[in-house]
Amino acid sequence: MKLKMQKKRIIALFVVAILTAMNCMPVLAASNVNMAGVNNGMLNSDYWLDDWERNTLLMNAGQIVALNQKNYAFAPTNLTELFLEPDVFDGDSLKSSLGGFKNPAKLYLNGQPVAASYYENIRRNILGAKTASLMQVQYGIIVNRTVMKDLPYADMLSDDPSDPEWDNLVSSAIFVNDPVLCYFTTADGKFTYVKSELCSGWIPTADVAICADKNSWYMNTHPAAFLVVTGDKIVTEASTANVSHSQVNLHMGTKLELLNTPGMVDGRLSFYNYVVALPGRDANGNYIKSEALIPVSRDVNVGYLPLTSQNLLNQAFKSLGNRYGWGGSLDSQDCSSYIREVYSCFGLSLPRNTTWQALMRCRVVDVSSMTATEKEVFFKAYCPAGAIVQFPGHEMMYLGESNGDFYTINDVSSIAADLGNPSLSVVKARSVVVNGMKSTLRKNGSSWYDNVNKVIIPWMEP
């Protein structure tokens, strides 16, 4: 018996060695790796696409620009064309409005209720700022990926004392080299109130540099030749020659000016590197531009990617398993910013949240009024891979149908699970996942599929 077991073990090891050498070692998924109904084959864009549709161009560059313009022009999307915003503003009125905030209810800091004095300190910091009735907007460029908050503070203020990783007052992330309008700075100088194309809020002053004038601000953030980060995130090489270029986090969709200036950069030859312009700030907070290197091996693209189904799903899968972060906190994404960042690689500017995205000037299908049969037919025959699928409070990217279920990839905060309790319990998923909408439940026991109400297809006419 012992000899037989040893023989079987030797044969098994031999098979493993052959499979490994052939690069076809089977993936033995543990029960907690994939969600129910998801196999490893589904974690690849090829699974969901027919040969004929993979490389079909869904929108060309001109059509993308035209859709962006329509969305900017339609006020309910809350997308702002920053260059067209007024150059002056009433600083005293804005300060008074921002300083008159109502104290948020039931927030916690380090597990303890936030004291009223905490908010009073914030209020004094706002109202003590130097403003005037007529002020000139300053034109800023983001130098470090940052997040806007509803109030100027540095802590994480959670709505649950046992959950220190959720801050409801975070509104949106802003990326390196993004343009912003700067209005005024708090009394202590640590926070600046800004407007991005998505929304307005407070950011650390150290994360923004001020340009000398409006024209240079626009040209530096809208370069003719540019490099787009197409990986979920990349990190620049370590450097002591220029520490401001050292190990900078650049997230998917970041756009940097591409320079045609080969030579020495940060003490290195630029061979096999892209030379890009990285934004920085001097000791006075003013914008400076300097050359930096990004290896050609990084997941980047010269210009925007062509908008095809293959490229769209490939981009979505690059973040699989990444953590969830409300509003872009924790150097991460929430459900709508995940979708937005994927689409930004193609030059499409999506609004900040699910509600505003559903108002885009493209094909938006209301499936909530469909019968069960109509809804089934729609998803099987008319909902393309890459479409944005929503139910109230959440959105996903559609993948396709398999074995009677309809699958999505999405960055999700929580799902319902039967943990042996009389009722379903909400558990923190907080990752980018692939899941079947019929087999994933909400706390009330209904499926995601039952709750879907909107499907957005950006490349189709309304």
Side-chain angles (χ1 to χ4, degrees):
M1 179 66 73
K2 188 173 182 180
L3 287 173
K4 285 183 179 180
M5 291 180 66
Q6 288 177 339
K7 185 176 181 181
K8 287 181 179 179
R9 184 172 182 272
I10 291 170
I11 292 172
L13 291 173
F14 180 69
V15 170
V16 168
I18 292 174
L19 290 172
T20 302
M22 295 172 62
N23 197 30
C24 59
M25 181 68 188
V27 179
L28 304 178
S31 61
N32 66 336
V33 172
N34 293 337
M35 293 185 67
V38 178
N39 61 57
N40 292 313
M42 294 176 174
L43 309 182
N44 187 294
S45 61
D46 287 345
Y47 182 94
W48 303 105
L49 300 171
D50 295 325
D51 290 338
W52 63 269
E53 65 181 329
R54 286 192 180 115
N55 296 310
T56 300
L57 193 65
L58 303 176
M59 296 179 83
N60 61 36
Q63 291 168 325
I64 290 172
V65 169
L67 177 58
N68 286 342
Q69 290 174 340
K70 290 177 184 177
N71 290 333
Y72 280 116
F74 187 56
T77 65
N78 285 282
L79 277 173
T80 301
E81 185 67 85
L82 296 177
F83 189 82
L84 301 179
E85 287 292 283
D87 296 328
V88 295
F89 66 102
D90 185 337
D92 290 341
S93 293
L94 180 60
K95 178 176 70 174
S96 177
S97 174
L98 294 173
F101 67 87
K102 182 179 179 182
N103 288 3
K106 297 180 180 178
L107 293 184
Y108 300 85
L109 176 59
N110 299 323
Q112 300 299 316
V114 179
S117 59
Y118 186 93
Y119 297 120
E120 289 311 306
N121 287 335
I122 292 175
R123 197 183 315 278
R124 282 195 294 271
N125 202 17
I126 296 173
L127 295 177
K130 293 180 180 179
T131 59
S133 60
L134 184 64
M135 295 180 68
Q136 176 72 42
V137 169
Q138 291 186 302
Y139 298 96
I141 296 179
I142 298 300
V143 298
N144 301 302
R145 182 196 182 275
T146 192
V147 292
M148 287 187 285
K149 294 184 179 183
D150 295 340
L151 297 174
Y153 64 95
D155 300 307
M156 289 283 286
L157 303 185
S158 173
D159 61 358
D160 181 344
S162 64
D163 184 5
E165 295 190 334
W166 185 285
D167 189 332
N168 274 338
L169 302 185
V170 174
S171 55
S172 180
I174 329 178
F175 287 0
V176 172
N177 212 48
D178 277 356
V180 292
L181 303 178
C182 301
Y183 293 96
F184 71 92
T185 300
T186 51
D188 63 5
K190 292 182 179 179
F191 299 93
T192 299
Y193 190 75
V194 303
K195 177 184 285 187
S196 76
E197 71 168 16
L198 301 176
C199 53
S200 301
W202 295 94
I203 65 170
T205 302
D207 291 337
V208 64
I210 305 301
C211 285
D213 56 70
K214 185 176 184 178
N215 196 54
S216 65
W217 164 78
Y218 185 84
M219 297 301 292
N220 283 313
T221 53
H222 295 77
F226 55 88
L227 199 70
V228 178
V229 174
T230 47
D232 63 325
K233 64 181 74 169
I234 66 171
V235 181
T236 62
E237 300 283 82
S239 173
T240 55
N242 192 330
V243 293
S244 67
H245 296 171
S246 181
Q247 298 180 307
V248 179
N249 278 332
L250 302 171
H251 287 241
M252 182 181 288
T254 300
K255 187 170 76 171
L256 299 172
E257 182 180 1
L258 186 60
L259 303 173
N260 188 23
T261 53
M264 296 293 291
V265 178
D266 294 343
R268 300 170 55 208
L269 278 171
S270 62
F271 293 154
Y272 311 111
N273 278 263
Y274 296 107
V275 182
V276 299
L278 269 186
R281 49 183 276 139
D282 65 16
N284 296 314
N286 296 316
Y287 172 77
I288 52 175
K289 178 167 70 174
S290 56
E291 295 179 345
L293 297 178
I294 294 181
V296 296
S297 59
R298 295 294 184 268
D299 194 345
V300 295
N301 193 71
V302 177
Y304 293 122
L305 291 169
L307 183 53
T308 65
S309 298
Q310 181 93 65
N311 285 341
L312 195 51
L313 266 58
N314 283 349
Q315 288 304 112
F317 277 109
K318 288 178 182 179
S319 297
L320 187 62
N322 283 5
R323 71 160 304 129
Y324 176 100
W326 171 254
S329 57
L330 302 169
D331 205 30
S332 190
Q333 311 149 313
D334 59 19
C335 66
S336 56
S337 59
Y338 164 65
I339 298 295
R340 174 181 162 79
E341 289 172 28
V342 168
Y343 270 98
S344 69
C345 296
F346 307 95
L348 265 169
S349 296
L350 271 58
R352 166 64 188 98
N353 63 35
T354 57
T355 302
W356 300 343
Q357 287 182 18
L359 297 172
M360 290 192 297
R361 314 319 287 161
C362 61
R363 179 77 55 86
V364 180
V365 182
D366 185 347
V367 300
S368 63
S369 58
M370 291 183 178
T371 66
T373 300
E374 289 171 338
K375 192 174 181 180
E376 193 91 4
V377 169
F378 171 78
F379 274 104
K380 284 184 175 180
Y382 300 107
C383 188
I388 303 167
V389 180
Q390 297 183 343
F391 59 77
H394 187 56
E395 71 178 22
M396 308 143 273
M397 179 175 288
Y398 187 66
L399 295 175
E401 186 266 343
S402 183
N403 298 319
D405 205 346
F406 301 103
Y407 287 82
T408 64
I409 182 169
N410 58 107
D411 202 345
V412 61
S413 174
S414 62
I415 57 175
D418 186 351
L419 302 178
N421 297 321
S423 60
L424 293 172
S425 299
V426 173
V427 295
K428 298 171 186 174
R430 297 201 176 164
S431 292
V432 176
V433 303
V434 172
N435 67 303
M437 290 192 290
K438 287 187 174 181
S439 56
T440 306
L441 302 179
R442 304 190 76 185
K443 188 176 183 180
N444 63 8
S446 63
S447 71
W448 282 19
Y449 178 77
D450 292 335
N451 287 269
V452 168
N453 64 340
K454 297 283 177 63
V455 176
I456 306 166
I457 310 173
W459 57 91
M460 292 187 181
E461 292 290 328

